[in-house]
Amino acid sequence: MNTLQQVSGAIGTALYIIIMSGGQKQYLSGASDPQAPAEIEKGLAAGINNAFWFGVIIALVALVLGLFLRKGKSPEHEQAAG
């Protein structure tokens, strides 16, 4: 695995954690008792749900973009044709 893949994976993981934490904070800010263990669990579930849906949206965008990408010609084919 090259360095770019490792850095990209670390950035992606950090992004998902940021989204998850933000969703948890948003849920707990509206909770009646944010210190209750049940509310903390629900907040964690809300944050994970946000991160999951973000991942689904990214995957769908990548799928749509992948459908429109054209396969390039290799240099061997260009030299043989020309």
Side-chain angles (χ1 to χ4, degrees), residues 17-62:
I17 295 298
I18 289 169
I19 292 169
M20 185 184 77
S21 298
Q24 185 177 13
K25 287 180 184 178
Q26 182 181 8
Y27 178 84
L28 290 176
S29 68
S32 59
D33 184 15
Q35 297 298 321
E39 291 295 323
I40 292 173
E41 289 177 12
K42 289 178 185 177
L44 182 60
I48 291 171
N49 190 32
N50 288 351
F52 174 79
W53 282 111
F54 178 76
V56 167
I57 291 169
I58 293 296
L60 288 176
V61 168

